[in-house]
Amino acid sequence: MKPNYGFAKRQRELAKKQKKEEKKLRKQAEDAPQGTEGADAPDATQPAEPGPARGV
């Protein structure tokens, strides 16, 4: 019995599409934070970089 490459390809495409949709929804949730959860998020994602390189 030979493998059904068309079926495997379709399954990969569906998985890829679902992953993209989840990523899009995640990004939308990050762009429009609700409540107090979003207030702390930007500070947590920006790492502090000490050093004199900024004003030189």
Side-chain angles (χ1 to χ4, degrees):
M1 183 173 176
K2 67 179 189 177
N4 187 348
Y5 292 112
F7 177 78
K9 181 178 179 184
R10 178 72 177 146
Q11 293 301 308
R12 284 194 308 272
E13 288 174 352
L14 288 173
K16 191 175 185 180
K17 187 175 181 182
Q18 183 180 7
K19 191 172 181 180
K20 274 189 166 184
E21 184 67 24
E22 289 173 0
K23 186 175 180 181
K24 186 176 107 175
L25 292 174
R26 219 177 326 125
K27 283 193 172 230
Q28 285 178 350
E30 289 175 4
D31 289 344
Q34 297 175 358
T36 58
E37 293 179 15
D40 297 332
D43 296 333
T45 58
Q46 297 294 329
E49 297 182 23
R54 292 184 185 187
V56 176

